[in-house]
Amino acid sequence: MKYLKLFESWNPVSDSAFAEAQELHSIGVVSDQELEDLVRLKQIQHRILNYKGVGSLDLSFCNLLTGLPDGLTVNGFLDLTDCTGLRSLPAGLVVEDYLDLTDCTSLESLPADLKAGDDLILFGCSSLTSLPAGLVVGGQIYK
């Protein structure tokens, strides 16, 4: 779909792009599921933009999310379960608690300087073929 090209990188979805998708939905160009996915992406982006680094961050079940902003530090857990469009994580990502990447099927690699204070969960990450040498995990790695 044309509007999906707007979300190829970490750039928040503009209100005008969202309105365009809603208009396309009203004439049948955008399906109900595609509009639901876009609404979920807008919710996730709102959480990220308003996150102050305190507490956990649940971004799960957003298949249009393809990446995260640079410099992200999460003071609790980071849940990215079933973010099937997620292709990469930012360099320098620090998660003080566990990092759940279950079923992130498009994720091909992890940043070399990734730090997870507790478990790293990689079940169903079918495109991930290796782990970086500099990976720091305070708990277990589940894959």
Side-chain angles (χ1 to χ4, degrees):
M1 305 266 22
K2 174 190 151 231
Y3 79 92
L4 291 179
K5 296 291 182 205
L6 299 170
F7 317 120
E8 290 295 319
S9 61
W10 171 250
N11 290 314
V13 178
S14 68
D15 291 338
S16 62
F18 186 69
E20 181 182 347
Q22 288 177 310
E23 186 177 318
L24 291 170
H25 177 261
S26 70
I27 61 173
V29 175
V30 173
S31 72
D32 290 344
Q33 183 61 54
E34 289 169 327
L35 188 61
E36 285 178 31
D37 290 345
L38 185 56
V39 167
R40 179 70 178 151
L41 179 63
K42 285 285 284 180
Q43 293 169 340
I44 293 296
Q45 288 178 167
H46 180 76
R47 283 186 199 164
I48 293 169
L49 291 171
N50 291 297
Y51 183 69
K52 305 295 185 214
V54 177
S56 298
L57 194 54
D58 184 353
L59 307 177
S60 59
F61 301 101
C62 184
N63 62 5
L64 294 182
L65 184 67
T66 59
L68 297 171
D70 291 334
L72 183 62
T73 297
V74 179
N75 193 14
F77 68 81
L78 176 58
D79 189 350
L80 293 163
T81 299
D82 206 32
C83 290
T84 57
L86 186 67
R87 293 189 299 253
S88 64
L89 296 174
L93 177 62
V94 176
V95 181
E96 296 294 328
D97 203 337
Y98 69 86
L99 173 57
D100 193 343
L101 297 168
T102 299
D103 292 327
C104 291
T105 55
S106 297
L107 188 64
E108 294 181 355
S109 64
L110 299 175
D113 55 355
L114 174 65
K115 293 184 175 101
D118 199 355
D119 296 337
L120 175 61
I121 305 165
L122 301 170
F123 295 122
C125 294
S126 54
S127 297
L128 189 64
T129 57
S130 64
L131 299 177
L135 180 65
V136 176
V137 178
Q140 300 294 315
I141 298 175
Y142 296 99
K143 51 184 181 166

